[in-house]
Amino acid sequence: VDLSHLSPEERWRVEHARMHAKHRGHEAMHAEMVLILIATLVVAQLLLVQWKQRHPRSYNMVTLFQMWVVPLYFTIKLNWWRFLVIWVFFSAVTAFVTFRATRKPLVQTTPRLVYKWFLLIYKISYATGIVGYVAVMFTLFGLNLLFRIKPEDAMDFGISLLFYGLYYGVLERDFAEMCADYMASTIGFYSSSGMPTKHLSDSVCAVCGQQIFVGVNEEGIIENTYRLSCNHVFHEFCIRGWCIVGKKQTCPYCKEKVDLKRMFSNPWERPHVMYGQLLERLRYLVAWQPVIIGLVQGINYILGLE
């Protein structure tokens, strides 16, 4: 059949029929491949959970590296130059910010620089993901026809924005967490053992190490002061960056659990917390799913399953 003279729909039907004809009579092999896939997914999930619990630092570093490199491989292979340009810009600025965060002694302006950059990326990725989701929903309900936009173009636009928002949302949170740990340990109010190396004064913020000039119950001109349930006091911008952007849900000083619902009583801010939890779930799909699929294909190749 000459496919060049067929419409896209007809070409898809012919290719679909060819695929069914090719795999006809291999039901037992397909069942075996499905069992291998399910078993590999279960075992890989158990191993990843144990690795994360026993060695969280190495797990986070390997996951971050995969999140950073795996999409780059596919974008170069598929010639997605727009994504590559954005990736290079994001990587360059993030590398500079990470370099500043890991320097000793820590410059006083570095914590604010780190949180501002990652908070900006967080808000952009959040808005991009929302717009992409709305575009996909509009296309599914056929509202794109009101603007005379083809369904495939509208769906490609929505899925692309969803991918950008979710990918960079996950990536910036991982880098922000790493930078938050480096800065807090450099300042001295946080250590990997969990015991602080300095005594925290009521007039000093344990996130940035700078003085607190506004009382908890006072209205600040530039920034307010926030007190956690453990009675430790922080700059509102710093503790919000620590909890949302840095993905920390404990006090930077004493490690007590932070009540995020009480901290973000405004209903317009709660979706940001839910969005952060969504990104946590998607990290597995982006970083580890390609590795697991590649492992399954390797097992099938060794067993002679095609």
Side-chain angles (χ1 to χ4, degrees), residues 211-221 223-226 233:
Q211 291 289 325
I212 296 177
F213 299 101
V214 181
V216 176
N217 299 321
E218 299 178 4
E219 187 71 21
I221 299 177
E223 184 178 34
N224 297 326
T225 302
Y226 191 86
V233 182

Side-chain angles (χ1 to χ4, degrees), residues 31-43:
E32 187 176 355
M33 294 173 68
V34 170
L35 291 177
I36 292 175
L37 174 62
I38 295 175
T40 305
L41 288 174
V42 173
V43 173

Side-chain angles (χ1 to χ4, degrees), residues 82-83 86 124-136 153-169 275 279 282:
R82 179 180 56 192
F83 177 88
I86 298 176
I124 293 176
S125 64
Y126 181 81
T128 303
I130 292 297
V131 173
Y133 175 77
V134 171
V136 171
D153 294 338
M155 186 62 71
D156 288 344
F157 175 76
I159 293 178
S160 297
L161 290 183
L162 271 176
F163 174 76
Y164 278 98
L166 295 176
Y167 173 73
Y168 287 106
Y275 179 67
L279 297 183
L282 291 173

Side-chain angles (χ1 to χ4, degrees), residues 145 213 245:
L145 300 177
F213 299 101
V245 181

Side-chain angles (χ1 to χ4, degrees), residues 16-302:
H16 194 65
R18 286 179 175 177
M19 183 190 69
H20 277 281
K22 179 180 179 181
H23 292 279
R24 188 176 297 114
H26 299 89
E27 289 76 10
M29 182 183 295
H30 294 164
E32 187 176 355
M33 294 173 68
V34 170
L35 291 177
I36 292 175
L37 174 62
I38 295 175
T40 305
L41 288 174
V42 173
V43 173
Q45 184 67 24
L46 293 175
L47 292 177
L48 289 175
V49 170
Q50 291 298 319
W51 184 13
K52 185 177 181 180
Q53 292 178 350
R54 298 175 183 272
H55 305 283
R57 187 178 182 84
S58 62
Y59 172 84
N60 292 332
M61 292 299 295
V62 173
T63 304
L64 176 59
F65 178 77
Q66 291 182 215
M67 286 287 302
W68 187 53
V69 172
V70 171
L72 177 65
Y73 166 77
F74 289 103
T75 53
I76 295 177
K77 184 177 181 180
L78 299 174
N79 296 327
W80 292 348
W81 305 118
R82 179 180 56 192
F83 177 88
L84 186 60
V85 171
I86 298 176
W87 185 91
V88 170
F89 173 77
F90 171 83
S91 300
V93 179
T94 302
F96 171 75
V97 172
T98 305
F99 175 79
R100 290 282 301 271
T102 55
R103 295 305 91 193
K104 295 182 180 181
L106 190 69
V107 182
Q108 294 183 354
T109 58
T110 298
R112 291 299 179 96
L113 172 66
V114 172
Y115 285 129
K116 283 182 178 179
W117 166 246
F118 288 118
L119 184 62
L120 174 64
I121 299 299
Y122 177 83
K123 291 182 176 180
I124 293 176
S125 64
Y126 181 81
T128 303
I130 292 297
V131 173
Y133 175 77
V134 171
V136 171
M137 290 296 101
F138 269 45
T139 306
L140 292 178
F141 286 104
L143 299 179
N144 58 290
L145 300 177
L146 298 176
F147 303 96
R148 297 182 179 180
I149 302 176
K150 295 181 180 180
E152 54 270 21
D153 294 338
M155 186 62 71
D156 288 344
F157 175 76
I159 293 178
S160 297
L161 290 183
L162 271 176
F163 174 76
Y164 278 98
L166 295 176
Y167 173 73
Y168 287 106
V170 173
L171 204 60
E172 62 84 17
R173 287 173 69 83
D174 285 348
F175 274 109
E177 181 181 18
M178 181 180 65
C179 292
D181 284 342
Y182 272 111
M183 291 188 301
S185 60
T186 302
I187 294 172
F189 296 110
Y190 171 81
S191 63
S192 57
S193 62
M195 295 298 293
T197 57
K198 291 183 181 179
H199 175 70
L200 179 63
S201 172
D202 291 338
S203 60
V204 176
C205 174
V207 176
C208 67
Q210 302 301 308
Q211 291 289 325
I212 296 177
F213 299 101
V214 181
V216 176
N217 299 321
E218 299 178 4
E219 187 71 21
I221 299 177
I222 300 178
E223 184 178 34
N224 297 326
T225 302
Y226 191 86
R227 183 188 299 274
L228 296 180
S229 56
C230 56
N231 290 326
H232 292 132
V233 182
F234 306 90
H235 295 126
E236 186 177 16
F237 181 85
C238 292
I239 195 61
R240 284 172 180 263
W242 175 269
C243 292
I244 291 184
V245 181
K247 207 175 52 177
K248 303 292 186 180
Q249 297 185 16
T250 57
C251 173
Y253 183 72
C254 66
K255 304 298 178 293
E256 181 174 324
K257 187 73 173 180
V258 175
D259 187 3
L260 293 179
K261 293 182 179 179
R262 189 175 70 89
M263 177 180 294
F264 306 108
S265 57
N266 188 341
W268 293 105
E269 294 177 338
R270 290 181 183 177
H272 291 273
V273 179
M274 297 175 59
Y275 179 67
Q277 296 173 351
L278 172 63
L279 297 183
E280 189 71 19
R281 305 295 186 272
L282 291 173
R283 181 177 291 102
Y284 169 80
L285 296 177
V286 178
W288 293 107
Q289 197 69 17
V291 177
I292 295 175
I293 297 300
L295 180 61
V296 171
Q297 291 179 348
I299 295 175
N300 292 332
Y301 177 78
I302 293 175

